[in-house]
Amino acid sequence: MTSRKPDEQLARNSRLRLVRPRALATARRAVATRRTRPAPRPPEGTPPRQELARQARRVLADAVRVAHWAAEHRGRVTEPTSATERERAAAALDLTPAQVRVAWDRARLAGLVELHGDTARPGWRLRAWDSDDSAALRGWVALLDAWSLAHPAPRDAEPAAVAEVVEAVPQVLSLLQLSAGPVHVPALLDLLGQRVAELREQRCEVPYDALQDAPARPEPAGADGQGVLAGLLDWALDGLASVGALTLGDGHATLTPLGNWAVWVKLEQICVAAQSPAGHIEQSAEDMLRGCVRLTPGPARDEYRAWLAARPAGSAVTELVAVARGDDALLRGLAFEALRVVGAAAETEVRAAAAEPALRPYALLWLAEHDGADPDEAAEVLTREEATWLWVDTAAAVVDHGESDLLVRHLESAVQGTVPALLDEVRAVGHPRTVQVLVALAAAHPDPALAKALRRAAFQVHTGGA
């Protein structure tokens, strides 16, 4: 039972099959086709968003400084991974080399920097960090989702036990949030043990008779098992405390206001995003597209037409393509939606954009539709690698601006037939947002086995493993 290779186990697990594939064109539109609904009010006593964002910025202060340093020096240095580069960054920022390494790791996990080959580039969150509270909060939530990567497990810990604890942590956080105050560690340990037992029971899909000759798997029972869980709980609490989600006292844990808010947001499944204004004729292309984020496709096209009518087509196309070259994946997709409204006047620049790897999938779809292809069949012009890049880029847009249920549904739009195949190709395509996308998918997906596979893939990409 335990001798199968991980990928073989995943392939044979029916829950890890993508059984309802959809066209990439449909998935692309799913980012902009979001339900509008009034957001529930946060629990009484929750600080205002401005204060929450201030706390998020404080947690990631060193990460932001290192990200700015890397951005300013990206022409002659890459990420500060070597000892020499860490020492150079430490001297410039008045940090120790160890602090630089931790801060750089957090900057990557929070989406503050993106790696393109050997070159570090600032992410859109870094540019919006000081002025956009949503960017700060979403960056911190991305770090929270990746807490087990930011705070690696003990080296002697059994990987399977670590994975089970990571899967059980959301229930621990829920208990802390519902308790609205300190919770004693023994109570958290009891909940953790129950949840791990439930996870193991849920995954026992082999008939009992088939297990008679199989080697017994160690269970977290008895003094030794409790000791293992207690140690891993301490690791998890330390990791969550290190990213600012909770504070630890004498034998108890308490969510911080930021952690309390984040858990509530996840429980309510709401999107932290600014509401769209009504008119954008006088605004830049980027501001116009940001204003259209919350609009459904019909009203958004009306905004595009009004904006385009107020300026020459050539300059409008140039401005839209410039926005598409940015780091915000949602704006990239919306820019090409606006270029569809432009029509033939945009063809020359779109053909030129097809030579740029990050824009090529969008440009090829635009050109196919411009030549008369059905939007739901246009994805056939993409190679498998281009389709996978577009899938990750669209997922990054949902991570930054969408709701968790949309992210889960987006998983079904992948062209691969199974999750193992998808993860193999996602790892190979080299998209700079791969880790954030996989971590967010793992945090959002309700299937524990699939979430575990996603977390494993995120860890492998993050550490450069196979």
Side-chain angles (χ1 to χ4, degrees):
M1 178 178 177
T2 58
S3 62
R4 292 178 183 172
K5 295 180 180 179
D7 286 348
E8 292 175 349
Q9 291 179 318
L10 297 179
R12 298 181 188 185
N13 190 330
S14 61
R15 293 180 297 175
L16 301 185
R17 294 187 180 275
L18 304 177
V19 295
R20 298 195 302 273
R22 296 182 300 162
L24 276 171
T26 304
R28 173 169 42 80
R29 292 194 295 269
V31 179
T33 311
R34 295 197 301 273
R35 296 168 293 179
T36 58
R37 58 180 177 183
R41 293 185 178 181
E44 185 177 355
T46 301
R49 283 174 56 82
Q50 184 177 8
E51 171 60 20
L52 291 170
R54 186 186 68 80
Q55 295 177 19
R57 292 185 178 103
R58 185 175 63 218
V59 171
L60 284 162
D62 286 348
V64 170
R65 294 175 63 204
V66 171
H68 278 301
W69 179 86
E72 291 168 2
H73 295 78
R74 67 182 183 274
R76 55 187 178 87
V77 298
T78 57
E79 55 178 307
T81 53
S82 70
T84 301
E85 290 165 351
R86 284 198 295 270
E87 289 174 1
R88 184 184 305 164
L93 301 173
D94 194 25
L95 298 171
T96 66
Q99 288 173 324
V100 169
R101 181 172 54 189
V102 171
W104 176 260
D105 204 37
R106 291 186 174 197
R108 289 185 60 192
L109 294 174
L112 296 169
V113 294
E114 298 176 358
L115 297 183
H116 297 261
D118 292 331
T119 304
R121 287 177 48 186
W124 73 270
R125 279 181 185 152
L126 184 62
R127 292 194 295 272
W129 191 255
D130 294 327
S131 59
D132 188 340
D133 289 345
S134 291
L137 289 170
R138 286 183 175 276
W140 182 82
V141 169
L143 178 64
L144 174 62
D145 287 341
W147 68 268
S148 60
L149 298 179
H151 187 72
R155 293 184 179 180
D156 60 348
E158 183 188 354
V162 170
E164 289 168 343
V165 169
V166 171
E167 291 178 31
V169 158
Q171 281 68 35
V172 173
L173 291 173
S174 297
L175 174 61
L176 287 165
Q177 197 271 339
L178 293 172
S179 299
V183 178
H184 292 292
V185 172
L188 298 176
L189 180 59
D190 182 61
L191 174 64
L192 180 65
Q194 294 179 33
R195 182 56 182 154
V196 167
E198 290 173 359
L199 291 172
R200 291 187 172 183
E201 182 178 356
Q202 291 169 5
R203 294 173 186 172
C204 186
E205 301 176 352
V206 181
Y208 177 78
D209 292 343
L211 297 176
Q212 295 303 300
D213 298 327
R217 179 183 179 184
E219 295 290 334
D224 292 342
Q226 279 297 100
V228 171
L229 276 184
L232 290 176
L233 175 61
D234 288 343
W235 161 70
L237 294 178
D238 287 341
L240 293 166
S242 72
V243 299
L246 53 80
T247 58
L248 299 175
D250 186 13
H252 63 264
T254 309
L255 284 179
T256 62
L258 192 59
N260 187 71
W261 166 82
V263 177
W264 172 79
V265 166
K266 290 180 179 297
L267 291 174
E268 294 294 333
Q269 295 185 338
I270 66 170
C271 173
V272 182
Q275 293 184 353
S276 173
H280 315 91
I281 292 178
E282 301 297 330
Q283 297 178 354
S284 67
E286 181 173 352
D287 291 338
M288 181 271 293
L289 293 173
R290 288 194 186 281
C292 292
V293 163
R294 294 292 293 177
L295 299 180
T296 53
R301 281 191 293 271
D302 292 340
E303 291 294 328
Y304 303 153
R305 292 189 185 97
W307 184 84
L308 292 165
R311 47 192 44 79
S315 62
V317 170
T318 299
E319 195 173 351
L320 288 169
V321 173
V323 174
R325 291 192 179 99
D327 297 317
D328 192 329
L330 178 56
L331 294 192
R332 183 159 35 254
L334 294 181
F336 275 88
E337 293 293 344
L339 289 170
R340 285 176 173 80
V341 175
V342 175
E347 182 176 359
T348 300
E349 288 215 35
V350 171
R351 288 194 182 279
E356 302 178 36
L359 302 185
R360 181 172 176 79
Y362 294 92
L364 292 180
L365 289 175
W366 189 98
L367 292 169
E369 294 176 28
H370 179 66
D371 291 338
D374 186 291
D376 288 334
E377 299 175 357
E380 295 175 3
V381 304
L382 302 180
T383 65
R384 186 73 162 238
E385 183 178 2
E386 291 162 351
T388 303
W389 177 281
L390 180 59
W391 184 89
V392 179
D393 209 47
T394 306
V398 180
V399 169
D400 287 336
H401 301 277
E403 297 180 357
S404 59
D405 58 341
L406 274 178
L407 190 60
V408 173
R409 294 208 301 272
H410 180 60
L411 183 63
E412 300 171 357
S413 71
V415 296
Q416 294 79 6
T418 65
V419 168
L422 170 64
L423 295 181
D424 286 342
E425 296 187 29
V426 164
R427 286 194 291 261
V429 82
H431 193 287
R433 295 292 302 280
T434 298
V435 171
Q436 288 85 3
V437 165
L438 294 177
V439 169
L441 267 170
H445 207 284
D447 189 319
L450 195 150
K452 178 180 178 181
L454 293 167
R455 276 194 299 272
R456 181 190 300 117
F459 179 81
Q460 292 171 340
V461 174
H462 179 67
T463 58

